[in-house]
């Protein structure tokens, strides 16, 4: 897999309605990666119009506030089961 660039998550735009992070692609479209994918450990955003991919640089803590606002829970936090 060939990565075009590495981008800090702070440099990406977040669409709360779609729960999607985007970043401009040189082809004119946008790289995209879903919040849920990031929470599951995925770090590669793809452009739907061309073959370019970027690696998203982030710490799990970077996503906690966004996930909480979206009603999602990071995969790293176990969910307690009630007996």
């Amino acid at each position: 897999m060939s990565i075009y660039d590495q981008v800090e998550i702070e440099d990406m735009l977040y669409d709360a309605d779609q729960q999607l992070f985007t970043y401009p692609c040189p082809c004119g479209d946008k790289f995209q990666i879903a919040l849920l994918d990031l929470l599951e450990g995925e770090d590669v955003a793809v452009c739907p119009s061309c073959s370019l991919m970027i690696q998203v640089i982030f710490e799990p803590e970077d996503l906690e506030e966004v996930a909480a606002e979206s009603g999602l829970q990071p995969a790293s936090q176990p969910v307690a089961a009630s007996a």
Side-chain angles (χ1 to χ4, degrees):
M1 171 170 43
S2 179
I3 300 295
Y4 169 72
D5 200 0
Q6 293 180 326
V7 176
E8 296 279 342
I9 198 161
E10 294 86 9
D11 296 331
M12 300 182 79
L13 294 178
Y14 181 66
D15 181 328
D17 293 332
Q18 296 184 24
Q19 296 184 349
L20 197 67
F21 284 90
T22 61
Y23 187 79
C25 180
C27 79
D29 204 345
K30 296 177 181 175
F31 295 102
Q32 302 176 358
I33 189 165
L35 173 59
L36 188 58
D37 291 336
L38 290 167
L39 291 171
E40 292 177 349
E42 180 63 47
D43 69 348
V44 176
V46 296
C47 175
S49 297
C50 71
S51 61
L52 293 179
M53 294 178 276
I54 58 171
Q55 181 179 21
V56 181
I57 307 300
F58 69 98
E59 295 294 327
E61 302 83 47
D62 296 338
L63 302 176
E64 289 177 2
E65 183 177 333
V66 176
E69 291 173 2
S70 299
L72 299 174
Q73 185 172 17
S76 61
Q77 296 179 354
V79 176
S82 57

